[in-house]
Amino acid sequence: MNDRALNVIGLALVGVVGAAFLILTPRFAELDAVLELTVFMIMAILALSLALVWGYGGILCFGQSAFFGLGAYTYAIAMFNIGESTGPLLLAIGLPAAFAALLGYFMFYGRISDVYLGVITLTVTLILFNSVNSTAGPEFHIGVARLGGFNGIPGIPPLNIPGNKAAPVDLEGMFYLATASLLATYFGLRWLLASRFGRIIVGIRENERRAELLGYDPRVYKLATFTVGGALAGFAGCLFANWGAFVSPTIFGLAQSAQIIIWVIVGGRGTLIGPIVGCIGIQWLTTALGANQPSGSDWMTNLMANAPFILGIILVAFVLLVPRGLVPTLGDIGHWLLRLRARPAAPSLKPKQAEEG
Amino acid sequence: MAVPLLETRDLTMHFGGVRAVHNVNFTLAEGELRCLIGPNGAGKSTFFKMLTGQLEPSHGRVLFRGRDISHAHAHEIARLGIGIKTQVPNVFDGLSVRENIWLAASRIHSVRHANGVVDEMLARIGLIPAADRLVGQLAHGQRQWVELGIVLSTDPVLILLDEPAAGMTHEEVQKTAELVREINRTKALIVVEHDMQFIRMIAKQVTVFNQGRVLVEDAVEDILRNPLVRDIYLGKQAAA
Amino acid sequence: MDLVVLVAIQVLYAIASLALISVGLAIIFGMMRVINLAHGEFLMLGGYAAIVATSNGMSIWLAMLVVAPIVVGIIGVIVERTIIRFLYGRMIDTMLATWGLSLFLVGLTTAMFGNTTVGISAPLGSFQIGAYRTSVYTLFVIAVATGVLAGIYAVMRWTRLGLLARGTMQNANMAAALGVNPPRVYAITFGVGAALSGLAGAVLAPVSGVFPTIGVAYVAKSFITVIGGGAAILSGTASASVLFGTINQIATFATTPVFGEVALLAAAIVLIRLLPQGITGRFFRRGL
Ligand SMILES: Nc1ncnc2c1ncn2[C@@H]1O[C@H](COP(=O)(O)OP(=O)(O)OP(=O)(O)O)[C@@H](O)[C@H]1O
Ligand SMILES: [Mg+2]
């Protein structure tokens, strides 16, 4: 019961903080800060997509950036061809979801084990990177949209109010949209995970064989989880393409995939708030280090401003020292402190149970 | 004669050169309780795995109420009504006892209904005080009970128990025997057990496995007197 | 006719380079069940080691064949002692930690050498096949790959270390049962795997140049070769290299090098789907 109260308090807290952030930021922050915060929000949605797939579904996906990139490219290409953003937005969600479903079908129905899942998703990401990267020539186009190869696609038109081409979303609007989307994603996932479906996917993560012997088909549930994850990542990709009005193949890159993994590891698998915190914290850290780099500086400052270097150290350190991630570890410490304080008052509610086997 | 609940025909499982189960013909009637004994490595667990779709037979067939399930998936077989408690406790260690039972119950009940079923089951297996503890933190005997509760909550027609009394105290063994008899009032069971006392408490008909084959099949008193069984099974156990 | 010879050489080269970049990873995976995602960076470090050594006046042969493997081998032992050994039995955590290591090494080399491609010119010149010219170095790479595989075969077949290795591949507790100090075996194995990766990176450096992120180009290819090959180190690497190398080169001839790579990766995914245990999990089970 206590846990339940904590749960409600947590939800309310996220809601209040989120709403306050949504409303207050544009009033008090500089425009470039708002711009930067917008991309943090977008990436946090991406982080949530992997939090679902890996943290709750137990599916080791090293290629979440494939769906992110696919969403961004789909939006860009569809936008040049269609002009009104409702269709492109839906495509940018639907296509990555369909691709995830296809890939997931192939992997889960082929009973491919965890480790190989990682390798396959990684490989798929690289295939996309290689393919898109090599489409620089003018012969590579879809409709009127040129793919641009390693140069990427610049000048992507922004989203507009549905149905009204003449009302594009401005920078501030983009912030509202991204933040509201993040909140909606967070609460939507909370709901999903509390539902029957969510509890079953956690059961499958905990013990796939047992779930099967109870009559659940793990393949179906994993496929559904993976597809939802793909859709969410695609949506984040669409917002990202909007934010910078630009996409390039690096969006499919290994570095991007690694980042998403790191956000989730640092924040903690099996939580939603953790990956959001991890994502925002790490992005803030890498931008701060990068921004402080004076030009022509010495070797050491170069190194410290070097994102892969820092990210690498963080990843190794967390795997070795804090393998469960920040939020679960802090939660444990909190519980432990609470119990420490509660002990003299209420000595052991459940007498002797562990001492039997 | 009526169609048996479960029937195997020449059921065989080879691992490379190892004949874990070889040409087993086995029949179980509706509502029957059967004990399965045999020395370590006789193929009992492998036999169970083939019945539940965890292993695909090398050849031979498994018929459940006349329907061929030799190549069905584990989840399909579970849905037909075969539940199993495996030899190594197979539970959701990272979840609470309540959540474990809930996951089983919600396979056949609506979400709202499932909660009530969970409370009943917790009472039946005597784990109400431990309901909110993580299953991974419980003692071995209690985890066995959790698994029993999980299996019962999906309301199967046939329940397979692979060494249900292992690691239990004498008291717990008796409680388990009672529970098995109670379950047998409504369901068929096959029970694998090494504990002869336990077998005596529950068994009528016993099948003895040895080296992947059915050695004999007889009433429990005759089995316990059978010199052949003594040799391969009790003898070995005494020597070990 | 000349074209056939040329194509044959190119196919052999594709096979050889795949085998070369994969064999270090195969040893580490086959014997330790460790998936080393920093493998590409080990190759990259081999390339840099060779380049730094030659630019300091060392003979290119010495730099490639001796210095690079030793340097990267030592780095491998250090990595095993400081990171990997804490993670045995936690396959996914090992993958993640080595991915972190990979980023770390990319960052470090970028700061040290800059984000540009450095190269050494391929020695040995070229030769004529009818109307076509091709470089002698291609043949050299094929020779090195053959030599490495033959060397591994010899070690596995005829030495105590090889016996141990074969035992470990079949049963992880074997080394301990034989009274050998497992940490030492693991450190040595990881070091040897790293050294062979360093060698491969150095030998391929004149062909591809070296830059900090070159590992990415290698890592996926070597992974799928190893996983496609399955548990047997030697026959696995060899058979998967033959399969993927041929597909890659033929697709390259038919279209472009990029789509050659795409074909290779796609073929690999299909293979893993069809044979999750790899080629040697299904065939040549008794191979080394
Ligand atoms: N996956 C497997 N691969 C290879 N051999 C196996 C496999 N599973 C079981 N075996 C072998 O098959 C034989 C039968 O094993 P099984 O577990 O069915 O015996 P059991 O009768 O349940 O024994 P116990 O009483 O010890 O539980 C044994 O020799 C065992 O080593
Ligand atoms: Mg058994």
Side-chain angles (χ1 to χ4, degrees):
Chain A
M1 291 310 106
N2 211 349
D3 279 355
R4 192 154 174 180
L6 276 178
N7 214 353
V8 173
I9 295 174
L11 272 178
L13 202 68
V14 173
V16 170
V17 171
F21 179 75
L22 174 70
I23 297 165
L24 297 180
T25 310
R27 301 205 183 158
F28 296 107
E30 301 284 325
L31 189 62
D32 35 338
V34 172
L35 209 63
E36 199 170 312
L37 287 172
T38 307
V39 79
F40 288 2
M41 300 299 113
I42 294 171
M43 292 304 186
I45 297 175
L46 181 57
L48 280 180
S49 77
L50 190 67
L52 171 70
V53 168
W54 187 26
Y56 287 91
I59 301 163
L60 186 65
C61 179
F62 280 177
Q64 200 64 12
S65 63
F67 310 119
F68 182 64
L70 217 51
Y73 265 91
T74 306
Y75 174 78
I77 291 163
M79 207 53 198
F80 281 113
N81 284 300
I82 299 174
E84 200 277 323
S85 69
T86 315
L89 172 64
L90 292 177
L91 277 174
I93 298 169
L95 200 82
F99 183 64
L102 195 74
L103 185 64
Y105 177 78
F106 176 88
M107 296 190 302
F108 305 133
Y109 281 73
R111 302 249 160 193
I112 285 170
S113 71
D114 264 7
V115 174
Y116 292 170
L117 228 84
V119 174
I120 288 191
T121 46
L122 201 76
T123 311
V124 166
T125 314
L126 284 171
I127 293 182
L128 285 173
F129 176 77
N130 282 343
S131 317
V132 177
N133 210 28
S134 65
T135 56
E139 70 272 27
F140 297 104
H141 59 89
I142 297 177
V144 298
R146 272 191 51 185
L147 294 180
F150 47 81
N151 297 316
I153 305 179
I156 303 167
L159 285 160
N160 52 255
I161 310 280
N164 183 0
K165 259 205 275 196
V169 176
D170 63 3
L171 292 180
E172 205 167 289
M174 206 45 222
F175 172 81
Y176 287 125
L177 180 62
T179 310
S181 301
L182 174 61
L183 287 171
T185 307
Y186 174 80
F187 287 109
L189 287 179
R190 282 298 291 257
W191 169 81
L192 184 74
L193 290 166
S195 74
R196 184 167 178 275
F197 175 85
R199 293 165 78 172
I200 292 169
I201 64 169
V202 171
I204 292 172
R205 178 196 70 192
E206 284 296 313
N207 188 341
E208 182 164 344
R209 181 36 67 74
R210 184 26 98 194
E212 248 183 322
L213 292 174
L214 291 178
Y216 297 113
D217 187 350
R219 301 170 303 177
V220 174
Y221 287 92
K222 286 186 170 181
L223 182 58
T225 310
F226 198 61
T227 307
V228 173
L232 270 179
F235 175 59
C238 165
L239 293 180
F240 183 74
N242 258 280
W243 174 77
F246 173 71
V247 286
S248 79
T250 50
I251 200 171
F252 292 112
L254 273 185
Q256 180 65 37
S257 285
Q259 278 220 40
I260 311 172
I261 295 267
I262 293 171
W263 299 335
V264 176
I265 291 258
V266 167
R269 279 162 277 181
T271 72
L272 290 179
I273 206 72
I276 298 180
V277 171
C279 168
I280 294 175
I282 293 221
Q283 288 204 86
W284 174 80
L285 184 72
T286 42
T287 3
L289 289 169
N292 288 341
Q293 178 189 12
S295 53
S297 54
D298 64 307
W299 194 85
M300 204 57 205
T301 2
N302 255 336
L303 191 62
M304 294 322 289
N306 186 311
F309 181 77
I310 304 291
L311 289 175
I313 290 179
I314 292 176
L315 183 49
V316 174
F318 268 82
V319 171
L320 286 177
L321 306 174
V322 202
R324 299 187 52 218
L326 282 180
V327 169
T329 306
L330 288 178
D332 280 359
I333 295 175
H335 267 179
W336 182 73
L337 287 177
L338 275 179
R339 206 169 312 156
L340 214 61
R341 279 189 45 194
R343 186 164 289 166
S348 177
L349 289 170
K350 295 161 198 152
K352 141 172 162 70
Q353 240 161 36
E355 298 91 43
E356 300 204 47
Chain B
M1 206 190 103
V3 181
L5 177 64
L6 182 82
E7 190 182 353
T8 71
R9 294 190 188 150
D10 294 333
L11 194 63
T12 300
M13 188 76 226
H14 292 176
F15 296 110
V18 180
R19 296 173 163 190
V21 173
H22 194 70
N23 286 347
V24 168
N25 291 294
F26 178 94
T27 310
L28 187 81
E30 294 273 354
E32 189 180 347
L33 176 119
R34 179 77 60 89
C35 285
L36 200 62
I37 63 172
N40 294 115
K44 306 174 300 286
S45 297
T46 305
F47 182 64
F48 271 11
K49 284 183 184 158
M50 285 189 285
L51 300 185
T52 49
Q54 299 179 68
L55 282 176
E56 211 175 329
S58 308
H59 50 91
R61 305 208 288 159
V62 181
L63 302 176
F64 184 65
R65 288 181 164 160
R67 177 173 170 175
D68 191 334
I69 55 166
S70 333
H71 305 287
H73 287 293
H75 65 93
E76 291 165 343
I77 293 176
R79 280 169 181 263
L80 288 175
I82 302 183
I84 179 169
K85 192 208 82 60
T86 52
Q87 183 168 354
V88 182
N90 210 338
V91 286
F92 304 105
D93 275 329
L95 305 178
S96 69
V97 175
R98 181 184 297 281
E99 190 78 0
N100 267 264
I101 308 281
W102 188 90
L103 278 171
S106 84
R107 220 263 293 135
I108 55 168
H109 298 290
S110 68
V111 171
R112 201 173 313 153
H113 200 157
N115 291 331
V117 174
V118 170
D119 288 332
E120 275 168 39
M121 186 55 66
L122 284 171
R124 190 165 169 201
I125 56 174
L127 285 178
I128 290 181
D132 292 315
R133 292 182 54 190
L134 291 187
V135 172
Q137 297 171 351
L138 298 181
H140 183 77
Q142 285 181 314
R143 293 172 73 222
Q144 300 258 54
W145 282 84
V146 172
E147 194 172 10
L148 262 174
I150 289 179
V151 174
L152 288 173
S153 302
T154 57
D155 199 24
V157 181
L158 167 62
I159 296 184
L160 312 179
L161 301 178
D162 200 342
E163 307 198 9
M168 286 191 174
T169 61
H170 185 64
E171 226 173 295
E172 286 175 319
V173 170
Q174 274 183 333
K175 259 168 69 187
T176 309
E178 249 164 64
L179 185 64
V180 167
R181 282 198 301 261
E182 186 208 317
I183 295 168
N184 186 226
R185 279 203 284 263
T186 51
K187 300 173 194 313
L189 289 115
I190 308 177
V191 182
V192 167
E193 195 39 81
H194 285 294
D195 183 339
M196 283 303 152
Q197 298 228 297
F198 183 75
I199 298 283
R200 275 204 192 88
M201 284 186 247
I202 60 168
K204 294 173 204 120
Q205 195 75 6
V206 177
T207 302
V208 183
F209 266 41
N210 188 36
Q211 300 187 344
R213 294 166 190 270
V214 175
L215 185 74
V216 282
E217 201 167 277
D218 216 334
V220 60
E221 313 82 47
D222 297 318
I223 289 291
L224 292 175
R225 263 186 264 123
N226 189 326
L228 212 56
V229 176
R230 245 172 221 286
D231 278 358
I232 63 111
Y233 188 65
L234 306 175
K236 243 186 211 169
Q237 203 180 39
Chain C
M1 183 56 218
D2 305 335
L3 187 64
V4 174
V5 176
L6 184 75
V7 172
I9 290 179
Q10 291 302 326
V11 169
L12 270 182
Y13 172 77
I15 294 170
S17 55
L18 262 188
L20 208 50
I21 63 171
S22 313
V23 74
L25 187 70
I27 287 181
I28 291 173
F29 178 64
M31 289 196 47
M32 306 165 72
R33 294 284 134 192
V34 162
I35 292 201
N36 173 24
L37 281 179
H39 175 68
E41 281 62 41
F42 284 2
L43 289 153
M44 174 267 286
L45 289 175
Y48 275 118
I51 285 174
V52 170
T54 35
S55 64
N56 283 313
M58 190 177 278
S59 129
I60 184 168
W61 303 111
L62 208 59
M64 283 195 310
L65 300 177
V66 180
V67 173
I70 289 179
V71 169
V72 182
I74 291 172
I75 294 174
V77 172
I78 295 173
V79 166
E80 198 277 339
R81 287 287 87 192
T82 52
I83 300 176
I84 309 290
R85 73 174 165 134
F86 300 107
L87 300 171
Y88 283 122
R90 288 157 60 189
M91 210 162 171
I92 290 167
D93 283 344
T94 328
M95 279 173 101
L96 294 169
T98 50
W99 199 347
L101 177 69
S102 131
L103 294 171
F104 170 85
L105 291 173
V106 169
L108 192 68
T109 42
T110 309
M112 282 169 72
F113 301 104
N115 202 358
T116 49
T117 307
V118 287
I120 5 174
S121 51
L124 297 176
S126 62
F127 68 103
Q128 200 83 26
I129 310 171
Y132 306 95
R133 288 189 80 71
T134 188
S135 86
V136 182
Y137 197 75
T138 308
L139 300 182
F140 172 72
V141 172
I142 297 173
V144 171
T146 316
V148 166
L149 293 185
I152 294 173
Y153 180 81
V155 169
M156 296 273 257
R157 192 97 173 80
W158 290 303
T159 68
R160 191 179 130 74
L161 187 71
L163 181 70
L164 216 63
R166 280 185 286 160
T168 317
M169 267 157 60
Q170 277 166 16
N171 175 356
N173 298 323
M174 190 75 140
L178 289 176
V180 182
N181 176 1
R184 250 218 7 241
V185 174
Y186 281 152
I188 291 175
T189 310
F190 204 84
V192 169
L196 286 173
S197 310
L199 173 73
V203 167
L204 293 175
V207 184
S208 57
V210 183
F211 47 94
T213 53
I214 194 174
V216 175
Y218 289 132
V219 74
K221 277 201 270 183
S222 31
F223 262 105
I224 56 178
T225 307
V226 170
I227 286 179
I233 295 174
L234 209 59
S235 51
T237 310
S239 54
S241 302
V242 169
L243 179 67
F244 295 147
T246 311
I247 290 175
N248 180 3
Q249 208 50 43
I250 288 174
T252 302
F253 266 104
T255 56
T256 65
V258 173
F259 286 102
E261 302 237 311
V262 172
L264 184 162
L265 297 177
I269 292 178
V270 173
L271 182 81
I272 293 173
R273 167 71 175 76
L274 296 178
L275 304 175
Q277 301 299 314
I279 300 174
T280 54
R282 189 63 173 268
F283 312 107
F284 323 109
R285 249 185 252 185
R286 307 244 154 260
L288 287 178

